[in-house]
Amino acid sequence: MISGAEYMRRELMIRLVRLFDQGKLDEELDRIPIRVRPKDGEASRCCVYHDRAVLKYRLMALLGMRCEEETDEAQTLAGYFQDADAREKAPGDPPLTVCTAGCSGCPDNSYVVTGNCRGCFARPCVFNCPKNAISVVNQVSQIDYTKCIKCGKCMNVCPFHAIVKTTVPCEDACPVGAIRKNAQGRAEIDFEKCIFCGKCFRACPFSAIMERSQLLDVLNVLKRKPAHVAAVVAPSAYSQFPGTIEQLFTAISKLGFDDVVEAALGAELTSANEAQEFLEKMSGGQRLMTTSCCPAYVELVKRHFPDFLQYVSHTPSPMKYAAQLVREKDPDAVVVFIGPCIAKRHEAEESGLVDYVLTFEELGSMMAGRQIDVISQEPWTLLTPAGENARNFAKSCGVTESVLADMTRPKCGTCGESGKCGENAENPCVENGQCGENAENPCVENGQCSGNTETPCGENFELKAKFINGIDRKTLSQLKLLAMGKDPANFLEVMACPGGCVNGPCSLHVK
Amino acid sequence: MEKIRLEICCGTTCFMLGADKLMRMETLLPEEFRERVEITGVPCLNVCMEESICRAPFVRINGVPHAQATVESVFEEIRKLLEKEEREDSE
């Protein structure tokens, strides 16, 4: 089931799409908060008026605005719409914004004695507290916060579960400590530290952390058509909607896209080149190489452990390769990447190869707003369907599997093994146990693998993979251990989201 | 005995606003309902436009649309219909 936060986010997106199509956004935007929370209806917060105030900020973010940049509280949504409607480029970094009116200002992490306390005789909380911070007053345990060190022992020993830990979900979810509180106690993101992983966005029970949408920009570009508009669709999309991949592509094209391209085609290039890069680096004496397709991970290294950057693969991500494939055909094309990721918005802007990024929620809302049902579509003809390995890039371990398959593909591994040219090999390089002079990629000299050649034999380097399946607070120390050479792994795959992109912050979560 | 007709909207609006669990209704149906209910997925019922959007997801039971449907609310409705049928049979 979806949460109330997801329901509201999607409802607003669908309303925006429908009003856009009716050409009524400028006159109707300011009425949406009232329509969604009428005075006689139910409120989610203290009253419908607070709900409406928060809704205004949600719509601001949906128009791509930053709530932090509000200078005139009296500015109408119609006013913001005018600015958003006129811009010709996607709203840039940062991709996240905090709605302080919606932030509950959760009290700091702490341990609290609840009404479940029975003031028992044994008092394990009092006896187990290492700082003597607990005393019993009027038959109820009391914590002296000037002494408490938040170790949590009292919580663990209480037989009545009377002591609980209060949490700040956004701060707890942030793997890099980028969230702090402002003077009013509301959450604030430090964008020097933020890696755009979107974990706070997902964690906040008040949905006060919002992404800055590019929905309006994409609607505009599809309507105005300054050039051919191509959709590059992440492989994680395939499990999101009811219906087949081919039906989904037809549905996307019906939104006005001139071309729909699998990002997995880019993943094939990423995989092949990453395999090559790995072999080169290993033969060059490097100890470790990590994947680079997860933009939140790349930001983590850049901002928090720059010395580790030398180990991160230089091979471009599937999104960048797929965008290049589109641009090779049509240099002026407008490229829209569709994925489950917030950090991709940052990567897109930084690369200059991708013009806009849509999330699956935004894509689904566009289709919902226009009543395009995926399962009722005719199948789209994929001229060159991407391979299964490339499509599995979206799942944890999928990248490694694909790179491994490319490494051991019968390029030279097969040739070397048998000492003879494998007849089925793609790039035969050995002839009769000797390096074929005409071969494109000579890798064997005198029947032995030569370390100096461009494509050294795969078999000399065993890929020892390690996986970081979901970035958290421990990730940085894990990377530090790897950098110190305390781990035998020579290939590290990192996915910011547990399970891979399929569980990205903006995925629809359909199993 | 005529089966109860349960039509689940497979339109994208209903899907986006929480119908994914409804779409798995076939597997969630309790044993006692299996023989009595006929489930079909149908294209957009066209009841989600304008202000009623905030009442999605929709299902249709014996031709009557139900708003804000959940698996539980649908079961409840089926139970009521079956009870009514039994009462009428015994009369």
Side-chain angles (χ1 to χ4, degrees), chain A residues 159-225:
Chain A
F160 300 109
H161 305 290
I163 299 175
V164 296
K165 187 183 180 203
T166 60
T167 60
V168 186
C170 59
E171 283 180 20
D172 286 358
C174 181
V176 291
I179 298 187
R180 57 180 178 219
K181 294 231 177 86
N182 68 10
Q184 287 77 41
R186 312 287 174 200
E188 218 172 56
I189 301 174
D190 178 351
F191 286 108
E192 297 290 315
K193 288 185 179 168
C194 176
I195 59 170
F196 318 122
C197 65
K199 290 187 195 289
C200 55
F201 162 80
R202 278 283 288 277
C204 175
F206 288 86
S207 195
I209 296 174
M210 309 175 295
E211 42 165 356
R212 292 167 67 201
S213 178
Q214 303 179 5
L215 185 56
L216 180 70
D217 305 72
V218 174
L219 287 167
N220 266 332
V221 97
L222 289 172
K223 188 178 165 193
R224 295 172 187 162
K225 282 283 167 72

Side-chain angles (χ1 to χ4, degrees), chain A residues 36 70 192 250 307 321 339 388 409 424 461 464 478 504 506:
Chain A
V36 175
E70 175 189 62
E192 297 290 315
T250 305
D307 287 349
Y321 273 126
E388 200 192 329
R409 208 170 285 277
N424 303 330
F461 307 103
K464 283 175 248 147
Q478 275 175 293
C506 306

Side-chain angles (χ1 to χ4, degrees), chain A residues 1-2 7 10-11 14-15 18 22 35 240-242 361 364-365 367-368 371-375 508 510, chain B residues 10-13 15-18 20-21 23-24 43-44 46 48-51 53-57 68 70:
Chain A
M1 285 307 283
I2 66 171
Y7 195 102
R10 295 174 191 179
E11 184 188 329
I14 299 171
R15 282 177 185 269
R18 289 186 180 165
Q22 293 161 9
R35 301 229 191 280
Q240 296 284 310
F241 296 93
E361 276 195 332
S365 301
M367 298 195 291
Q371 292 181 297
I372 297 171
D373 297 346
V374 178
I375 48 164
L508 301 179
V510 183
Chain B
C10 296
T12 308
T13 306
F15 172 72
M16 289 295 292
L17 297 178
D20 59 305
K21 201 173 170 192
M23 289 179 188
R24 295 197 304 272
C44 183
N46 278 317
C48 59
M49 294 310 278
E50 303 300 329
E51 282 314 307
I53 170 187
C54 54
R55 308 191 61 218
Q68 288 173 329
T70 62

Side-chain angles (χ1 to χ4, degrees), chain A residues 426-440:
Chain A
E426 262 180 39
N427 298 314
C429 64
V430 181
E431 277 166 14
N432 306 324
Q434 289 223 322
C435 179
E437 285 175 2
N438 305 333
E440 246 183 278

Side-chain angles (χ1 to χ4, degrees), chain A residues 71 250 279 307 353 363 387 462:
Chain A
T71 48
T250 305
L279 294 173
D307 287 349
L353 287 163
L363 171 70
E462 198 193 335

Side-chain angles (χ1 to χ4, degrees), chain A residues 272-273 275-276 279 405-417 420-431 434-444 454-458:
Chain A
N273 291 330
Q276 171 97 19
L279 294 173
D406 274 334
M407 251 178 66
T408 50
R409 208 170 285 277
K411 266 183 187 166
C412 49
T414 307
C415 313
E417 257 170 55
K420 275 192 188 180
C421 176
E423 282 175 5
N424 303 330
E426 262 180 39
N427 298 314
C429 64
V430 181
E431 277 166 14
Q434 289 223 322
C435 179
E437 285 175 2
N438 305 333
E440 246 183 278
N441 299 314
C443 66
V444 180
E454 250 184 278
T455 30
C457 291

Side-chain angles (χ1 to χ4, degrees), chain A residues 233 235 238 260-270 318 321-322 325 382 384-387 390-391:
Chain A
V233 186
Y238 304 159
V260 189
V261 181
E262 284 190 81
L265 292 176
E268 289 184 341
L269 296 169
T270 301
Y321 273 126
L325 289 176
L382 288 168
T384 43
R391 286 181 177 176

Side-chain angles (χ1 to χ4, degrees), chain A residues 74-96:
Chain A
Q75 173 65 294
T76 58
L77 286 165
Y80 287 120
F81 168 69
Q82 269 181 1
D83 295 344
D85 196 46
R87 71 179 167 230
E88 283 175 0
K89 271 186 70 184
D93 276 342
L96 291 166

